[in-house]
């Protein structure tokens, strides 16, 4: 991973990709989302901060899982919530 990214991102050796292109929480409630992010700790996929429910950051804060990857096709980047760090891969 890129230099300058945080220890969490540097420790991410293999990027986890979404199993399905849906927000795991929004599908339960029938809500909409804007973009999808995949948790690099547990591999679950949730919606971004532009989405009404912001499930990805809620999950990061509740679970302590720091790093997400964009689940959008063609986007190749990681983001760490506690460090506000970003890296392309
Ligand atoms: Zn970090
Ligand atoms: Zn959601
Ligand atoms: Zn997680």
């Amino acid at each position: 991973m890129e230099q300058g990214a945080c220890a969490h991102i540097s420790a991410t050796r293999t990027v986890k990709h979404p199993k399905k292109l849906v927000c795991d929480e929004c599908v339960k409630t029938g809500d909409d989302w804007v973009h999808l992010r995949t948790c690099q700790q547990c591999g679950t996929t949730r919606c971004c901060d532009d989405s009404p429910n912001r499930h990805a950051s809620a999950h990061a804060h509740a679970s302590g899982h720091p790093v997400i990857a964009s689940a959008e096709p063609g986007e190749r980047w990681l983001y760490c919530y506690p460090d506000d760090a970003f890296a392309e891969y």
Side-chain angles (χ1 to χ4, degrees):
M1 292 298 159
E2 268 184 23
Q3 294 219 325
C6 71
H8 305 108
I9 287 176
S10 304
T12 305
R13 302 264 175 246
T14 321
V15 176
K16 290 185 172 65
H17 296 289
K19 296 180 186 76
K20 277 193 196 173
L21 280 177
V22 298
C23 171
D24 289 354
E25 308 290 335
C26 286
V27 287
K28 294 178 194 161
T29 52
D31 287 326
D32 291 324
W33 59 82
V34 179
H35 300 296
L36 293 169
R37 310 293 182 231
T38 299
C39 177
Q40 294 303 293
Q41 193 113 357
C42 61
T44 54
T45 298
R46 291 181 173 76
C47 54
C48 72
D49 282 355
D50 293 330
S51 308
N53 294 315
R54 301 181 180 189
H55 283 129
S57 29
H59 171 73
H61 290 121
S63 65
H65 297 168
V67 180
I68 51 102
S70 176
E72 297 301 309
E75 291 189 6
R76 293 171 60 84
W77 53 261
L78 299 164
Y79 177 74
C80 175
Y81 285 98
D83 294 309
D84 192 26
F86 176 89
E88 295 190 62
Y89 64 88

